[in-house]
Amino acid sequence: MAANNTSDGSKSIFTNYITSPPNYDSWATDIKLWVTGQGYKDHLTTKFDTDKPKWEQIDAQLCSVIKSALHPDIKPIFRPHITCESVWSQAKKLYTNDTQRLYGVGHKLMNIITPKKIEGSISTYLGNVHFALHDFNELLPHVVSSTTEQEKEREQHSTFLMLLSLYGLPEEYAAIHDQILGSATVPDMSTTYAILLRVPAKHSLEPIITPAPGDTTALASFWK
């Protein structure tokens, strides 16, 4: 990515972006990951502490880099905001609308599965479905408190998206599609995707033996 000069002379690792809700999520994810990597995640949510000069100095440096990642068209909106917490809060107010974002996730998912054909590789197709699952889980936080119940909800979301991904497979995957749905126990997303990734595309497909529960490949762990 192209680097951008910041006011303190350092280089930004980000290309200028975030101009609309669709790319806010990418911007926010990158910023949060970068700030966490620097060891200063608390600066995104903690208000400026004037009693700690060193904290103020670090916050100013981080804020400079974060603002350098904003698209030039919207930088004037953020000019009054001179702390990480203030910039982060303002961006969230401007660009997050959970109802619209959830609608967008649904719309994106339907565009993936409705054509019943795969543009590109099966891994790209499954990756797009899994990305939708990530957004789905983020926008519909768990309503239960215990870790066990939260894990059960995640599994239910995963199974639902996995079944939708099977629905969107083209005709050449019919045999493996029927085999998975005909299993006594519907395999989880990791196992199902591991099976599909081993299927030769655009050929007459022979049934593949479903691995026993727990017998997943190393690649399958990527989808958890």
Side-chain angles (χ1 to χ4, degrees), residues 54-112:
K54 185 63 176 177
W55 195 96
E56 179 181 353
Q57 179 185 4
I58 293 171
D59 193 79
Q61 292 171 348
L62 294 172
C63 186
S64 178
V65 175
I66 291 173
K67 291 178 77 170
S68 75
L70 299 171
H71 194 279
D73 291 348
I74 66 167
K75 279 188 176 182
I77 299 175
F78 290 85
R79 187 169 295 161
H81 302 275
I82 58 174
T83 69
C84 290
E85 185 275 334
S86 182
V87 171
W88 186 254
S89 178
Q90 177 67 5
K92 189 173 183 179
K93 289 177 183 177
L94 289 174
Y95 293 107
T96 59
N97 180 311
D98 286 351
T99 300
Q100 291 181 1
R101 291 170 68 198
L102 188 58
Y103 176 85
V105 171
H107 185 263
K108 183 190 301 182
L109 185 60
M110 293 306 295
N111 284 339
I112 295 170

Side-chain angles (χ1 to χ4, degrees), residues 109 112-113 122-133 157-167 169 173 176 180 187-199 208 210-211 216-217 219-224:
L109 185 60
I112 295 170
I113 67 173
I122 183 66
S123 58
T124 299
Y125 171 78
L126 296 177
N128 288 335
V129 174
H130 194 75
F131 189 76
L133 172 63
H157 289 178
S158 175
T159 299
F160 177 66
L161 267 293
M162 181 271 288
L163 292 172
L164 285 180
S165 68
L166 289 178
Y167 170 82
L169 291 174
Y173 286 86
I176 193 65
I180 293 171
D188 61 21
M189 177 177 275
S190 296
T191 303
T192 300
Y193 284 10
I195 294 169
L196 292 172
L197 287 169
R198 293 198 298 269
V199 172
I208 294 178
T210 304
T216 56
T217 65
L219 182 60
S221 64
F222 172 78
W223 299 102
K224 286 190 175 181

